[in-house]
mmCIF file of all heavy atoms in Angstrom:
data_model
loop_
_atom_site.group_PDB
_atom_site.id
_atom_site.type_symbol
_atom_site.label_atom_id
_atom_site.label_comp_id
_atom_site.label_asym_id
_atom_site.label_seq_id
_atom_site.Cartn_x
_atom_site.Cartn_y
_atom_site.Cartn_z
ATOM 1 N N VAL A 1 7.168 -9.700 15.742
ATOM 2 C CA VAL A 1 6.077 -8.734 15.771
ATOM 3 C C VAL A 1 6.440 -7.507 14.934
ATOM 4 O O VAL A 1 5.646 -7.002 14.147
ATOM 5 C CB VAL A 1 5.762 -8.297 17.222
ATOM 6 C CG1 VAL A 1 4.736 -7.169 17.216
ATOM 7 C CG2 VAL A 1 5.251 -9.483 18.017
ATOM 8 N N THR A 2 7.688 -7.044 15.091
ATOM 9 C CA THR A 2 8.155 -5.882 14.317
ATOM 10 C C THR A 2 8.155 -6.177 12.828
ATOM 11 O O THR A 2 7.779 -5.342 12.002
ATOM 12 C CB THR A 2 9.572 -5.492 14.755
ATOM 13 O OG1 THR A 2 9.583 -5.229 16.153
ATOM 14 C CG2 THR A 2 10.035 -4.247 14.004
ATOM 15 N N SER A 3 8.571 -7.404 12.469
ATOM 16 C CA SER A 3 8.606 -7.803 11.068
ATOM 17 C C SER A 3 7.206 -7.831 10.470
ATOM 18 O O SER A 3 6.979 -7.383 9.349
ATOM 19 C CB SER A 3 9.261 -9.177 10.941
ATOM 20 O OG SER A 3 9.236 -9.614 9.599
ATOM 21 N N ILE A 4 6.247 -8.369 11.225
ATOM 22 C CA ILE A 4 4.869 -8.443 10.765
ATOM 23 C C ILE A 4 4.288 -7.050 10.585
ATOM 24 O O ILE A 4 3.610 -6.749 9.596
ATOM 25 C CB ILE A 4 4.009 -9.263 11.749
ATOM 26 C CG1 ILE A 4 4.467 -10.725 11.740
ATOM 27 C CG2 ILE A 4 2.529 -9.163 11.379
ATOM 28 C CD1 ILE A 4 3.783 -11.580 12.779
ATOM 29 N N GLN A 5 4.561 -6.161 11.535
ATOM 30 C CA GLN A 5 4.061 -4.800 11.443
ATOM 31 C C GLN A 5 4.649 -4.091 10.231
ATOM 32 O O GLN A 5 3.971 -3.350 9.527
ATOM 33 C CB GLN A 5 4.416 -4.029 12.721
ATOM 34 C CG GLN A 5 3.609 -4.467 13.937
ATOM 35 C CD GLN A 5 4.052 -3.732 15.189
ATOM 36 O OE1 GLN A 5 5.164 -3.202 15.260
ATOM 37 N NE2 GLN A 5 3.170 -3.713 16.195
ATOM 38 N N SER A 6 5.957 -4.318 9.983
ATOM 39 C CA SER A 6 6.632 -3.702 8.839
ATOM 40 C C SER A 6 6.035 -4.196 7.531
ATOM 41 O O SER A 6 5.809 -3.425 6.593
ATOM 42 C CB SER A 6 8.120 -4.006 8.881
ATOM 43 O OG SER A 6 8.775 -3.498 7.748
ATOM 44 N N GLN A 7 5.740 -5.517 7.457
ATOM 45 C CA GLN A 7 5.172 -6.104 6.257
ATOM 46 C C GLN A 7 3.767 -5.573 6.014
ATOM 47 O O GLN A 7 3.382 -5.279 4.882
ATOM 48 C CB GLN A 7 5.150 -7.630 6.382
ATOM 49 C CG GLN A 7 4.666 -8.337 5.105
ATOM 50 C CD GLN A 7 4.764 -9.842 5.237
ATOM 51 O OE1 GLN A 7 5.113 -10.363 6.292
ATOM 52 N NE2 GLN A 7 4.458 -10.543 4.172
ATOM 53 N N THR A 8 2.995 -5.433 7.100
ATOM 54 C CA THR A 8 1.633 -4.922 6.982
ATOM 55 C C THR A 8 1.650 -3.486 6.486
ATOM 56 O O THR A 8 0.873 -3.097 5.613
ATOM 57 C CB THR A 8 0.916 -4.981 8.345
ATOM 58 O OG1 THR A 8 0.910 -6.337 8.804
ATOM 59 C CG2 THR A 8 -0.510 -4.466 8.223
ATOM 60 N N LEU A 9 2.584 -2.689 7.030
ATOM 61 C CA LEU A 9 2.705 -1.303 6.601
ATOM 62 C C LEU A 9 3.092 -1.231 5.132
ATOM 63 O O LEU A 9 2.579 -0.417 4.383
ATOM 64 C CB LEU A 9 3.767 -0.597 7.458
ATOM 65 C CG LEU A 9 4.030 0.892 7.118
ATOM 66 C CD1 LEU A 9 2.767 1.708 7.301
ATOM 67 C CD2 LEU A 9 5.168 1.434 7.986
ATOM 68 N N SER A 10 3.991 -2.147 4.711
ATOM 69 C CA SER A 10 4.419 -2.172 3.327
ATOM 70 C C SER A 10 3.247 -2.473 2.401
ATOM 71 O O SER A 10 3.082 -1.836 1.368
ATOM 72 C CB SER A 10 5.530 -3.213 3.139
ATOM 73 O OG SER A 10 5.901 -3.313 1.784
ATOM 74 N N GLN A 11 2.444 -3.456 2.757
ATOM 75 C CA GLN A 11 1.281 -3.815 1.955
ATOM 76 C C GLN A 11 0.271 -2.679 1.918
ATOM 77 O O GLN A 11 -0.389 -2.442 0.894
ATOM 78 C CB GLN A 11 0.631 -5.090 2.519
ATOM 79 C CG GLN A 11 1.423 -6.361 2.271
ATOM 80 C CD GLN A 11 1.641 -6.604 0.788
ATOM 81 O OE1 GLN A 11 0.719 -6.469 -0.019
ATOM 82 N NE2 GLN A 11 2.867 -6.966 0.426
ATOM 83 N N THR A 12 0.152 -1.968 3.032
ATOM 84 C CA THR A 12 -0.749 -0.818 3.076
ATOM 85 C C THR A 12 -0.273 0.267 2.119
ATOM 86 O O THR A 12 -1.072 0.875 1.397
ATOM 87 C CB THR A 12 -0.824 -0.247 4.503
ATOM 88 O OG1 THR A 12 -1.302 -1.265 5.387
ATOM 89 C CG2 THR A 12 -1.759 0.951 4.560
ATOM 90 N N ASP A 13 1.037 0.512 2.111
ATOM 91 C CA ASP A 13 1.616 1.513 1.212
ATOM 92 C C ASP A 13 1.417 1.116 -0.251
ATOM 93 O O ASP A 13 1.101 1.960 -1.098
ATOM 94 C CB ASP A 13 3.106 1.685 1.498
ATOM 95 C CG ASP A 13 3.364 2.348 2.847
ATOM 96 O OD1 ASP A 13 2.429 2.991 3.359
ATOM 97 O OD2 ASP A 13 4.485 2.205 3.370
ATOM 98 N N VAL A 14 1.621 -0.163 -0.537
ATOM 99 C CA VAL A 14 1.455 -0.649 -1.901
ATOM 100 C C VAL A 14 0.007 -0.470 -2.366
ATOM 101 O O VAL A 14 -0.255 -0.014 -3.485
ATOM 102 C CB VAL A 14 1.863 -2.136 -2.003
ATOM 103 C CG1 VAL A 14 1.396 -2.733 -3.334
ATOM 104 C CG2 VAL A 14 3.368 -2.284 -1.870
ATOM 105 N N SER A 15 -0.927 -0.815 -1.488
ATOM 106 C CA SER A 15 -2.348 -0.666 -1.821
ATOM 107 C C SER A 15 -2.697 0.799 -2.077
ATOM 108 O O SER A 15 -3.482 1.116 -2.977
ATOM 109 C CB SER A 15 -3.214 -1.213 -0.681
ATOM 110 O OG SER A 15 -2.992 -2.597 -0.504
ATOM 111 N N LYS A 16 -2.100 1.685 -1.295
ATOM 112 C CA LYS A 16 -2.348 3.114 -1.466
ATOM 113 C C LYS A 16 -1.815 3.608 -2.800
ATOM 114 O O LYS A 16 -2.501 4.354 -3.515
ATOM 115 C CB LYS A 16 -1.698 3.900 -0.325
ATOM 116 C CG LYS A 16 -1.968 5.393 -0.381
ATOM 117 C CD LYS A 16 -1.331 6.108 0.803
ATOM 118 C CE LYS A 16 -1.590 7.614 0.739
ATOM 119 N NZ LYS A 16 -0.960 8.321 1.879
ATOM 120 N N VAL A 17 -0.601 3.199 -3.166
ATOM 121 C CA VAL A 17 -0.015 3.595 -4.442
ATOM 122 C C VAL A 17 -0.860 3.059 -5.593
ATOM 123 O O VAL A 17 -1.139 3.777 -6.566
ATOM 124 C CB VAL A 17 1.437 3.076 -4.572
ATOM 125 C CG1 VAL A 17 1.978 3.341 -5.983
ATOM 126 C CG2 VAL A 17 2.327 3.735 -3.540
ATOM 127 N N LEU A 18 -1.282 1.809 -5.481
ATOM 128 C CA LEU A 18 -2.085 1.183 -6.531
ATOM 129 C C LEU A 18 -3.420 1.904 -6.696
ATOM 130 O O LEU A 18 -3.849 2.203 -7.818
ATOM 131 C CB LEU A 18 -2.319 -0.291 -6.187
ATOM 132 C CG LEU A 18 -2.932 -1.165 -7.282
ATOM 133 C CD1 LEU A 18 -1.989 -1.244 -8.478
ATOM 134 C CD2 LEU A 18 -3.213 -2.556 -6.735
ATOM 135 N N ARG A 19 -4.064 2.202 -5.574
ATOM 136 C CA ARG A 19 -5.360 2.895 -5.606
ATOM 137 C C ARG A 19 -5.226 4.296 -6.206
ATOM 138 O O ARG A 19 -6.008 4.688 -7.079
ATOM 139 C CB ARG A 19 -5.943 2.975 -4.195
ATOM 140 C CG ARG A 19 -7.308 3.657 -4.138
ATOM 141 C CD ARG A 19 -7.888 3.606 -2.735
ATOM 142 N NE ARG A 19 -7.056 4.336 -1.771
ATOM 143 C CZ ARG A 19 -6.290 3.774 -0.862
ATOM 144 N NH1 ARG A 19 -6.226 2.450 -0.773
ATOM 145 N NH2 ARG A 19 -5.564 4.505 -0.022
ATOM 146 N N ASN A 20 -4.214 5.029 -5.761
ATOM 147 C CA ASN A 20 -4.010 6.385 -6.271
ATOM 148 C C ASN A 20 -3.637 6.383 -7.755
ATOM 149 O O ASN A 20 -4.039 7.275 -8.511
ATOM 150 C CB ASN A 20 -2.918 7.098 -5.471
ATOM 151 C CG ASN A 20 -3.346 7.453 -4.066
ATOM 152 O OD1 ASN A 20 -4.537 7.510 -3.768
ATOM 153 N ND2 ASN A 20 -2.392 7.688 -3.184
ATOM 154 N N THR A 21 -2.874 5.376 -8.154
ATOM 155 C CA THR A 21 -2.471 5.281 -9.561
ATOM 156 C C THR A 21 -3.671 5.086 -10.467
ATOM 157 O O THR A 21 -3.829 5.803 -11.470
ATOM 158 C CB THR A 21 -1.483 4.111 -9.759
ATOM 159 O OG1 THR A 21 -0.288 4.360 -9.029
ATOM 160 C CG2 THR A 21 -1.142 3.940 -11.234
ATOM 161 N N TYR A 22 -4.542 4.129 -10.126
ATOM 162 C CA TYR A 22 -5.699 3.858 -10.975
ATOM 163 C C TYR A 22 -6.708 5.008 -10.936
ATOM 164 O O TYR A 22 -7.370 5.300 -11.941
ATOM 165 C CB TYR A 22 -6.363 2.547 -10.563
ATOM 166 C CG TYR A 22 -5.609 1.328 -11.051
ATOM 167 C CD1 TYR A 22 -5.266 0.296 -10.185
ATOM 168 C CD2 TYR A 22 -5.217 1.218 -12.378
ATOM 169 C CE1 TYR A 22 -4.560 -0.807 -10.626
ATOM 170 C CE2 TYR A 22 -4.518 0.118 -12.828
ATOM 171 C CZ TYR A 22 -4.192 -0.900 -11.955
ATOM 172 O OH TYR A 22 -3.493 -1.985 -12.405
ATOM 173 N N MET A 23 -6.800 5.675 -9.806
ATOM 174 C CA MET A 23 -7.711 6.821 -9.710
ATOM 175 C C MET A 23 -7.218 7.954 -10.608
ATOM 176 O O MET A 23 -7.986 8.533 -11.387
ATOM 177 C CB MET A 23 -7.805 7.306 -8.259
ATOM 178 C CG MET A 23 -8.799 8.452 -8.057
ATOM 179 S SD MET A 23 -8.870 8.990 -6.318
ATOM 180 C CE MET A 23 -9.385 7.462 -5.512
ATOM 181 N N LEU A 24 -5.916 8.263 -10.507
ATOM 182 C CA LEU A 24 -5.352 9.324 -11.329
ATOM 183 C C LEU A 24 -5.358 8.941 -12.805
ATOM 184 O O LEU A 24 -5.602 9.790 -13.680
ATOM 185 C CB LEU A 24 -3.919 9.637 -10.876
ATOM 186 C CG LEU A 24 -3.203 10.780 -11.602
ATOM 187 C CD1 LEU A 24 -3.994 12.084 -11.483
ATOM 188 C CD2 LEU A 24 -1.787 10.963 -11.047
ATOM 189 N N LEU A 25 -5.125 7.667 -13.090
ATOM 190 C CA LEU A 25 -5.144 7.199 -14.474
ATOM 191 C C LEU A 25 -6.524 7.397 -15.085
ATOM 192 O O LEU A 25 -6.651 7.847 -16.232
ATOM 193 C CB LEU A 25 -4.734 5.728 -14.535
ATOM 194 C CG LEU A 25 -4.672 5.096 -15.934
ATOM 195 C CD1 LEU A 25 -3.615 5.798 -16.790
ATOM 196 C CD2 LEU A 25 -4.345 3.600 -15.827
ATOM 197 N N GLY A 26 -7.560 7.062 -14.339
ATOM 198 C CA GLY A 26 -8.921 7.254 -14.834
ATOM 199 C C GLY A 26 -9.223 8.718 -15.116
ATOM 200 O O GLY A 26 -9.828 9.061 -16.140
#
């Protein structure tokens, strides 16, 4: 359960970085 939560948080962080990057790039 802890591993799944950690992975989900990681994917959430990655999505946030990706979204912010493309927004700032634009």
Side-chain angles (χ1 to χ4, degrees):
V1 173
T2 303
S3 177
I4 294 174
Q5 288 177 339
S6 176
Q7 185 176 4
T8 302
L9 179 61
S10 176
Q11 288 301 315
T12 300
D13 291 340
V14 167
S15 297
K16 183 178 179 181
V17 173
L18 190 63
R19 181 175 63 253
N20 289 340
T21 296
Y22 283 129
M23 183 180 300
L24 183 58
L25 181 62

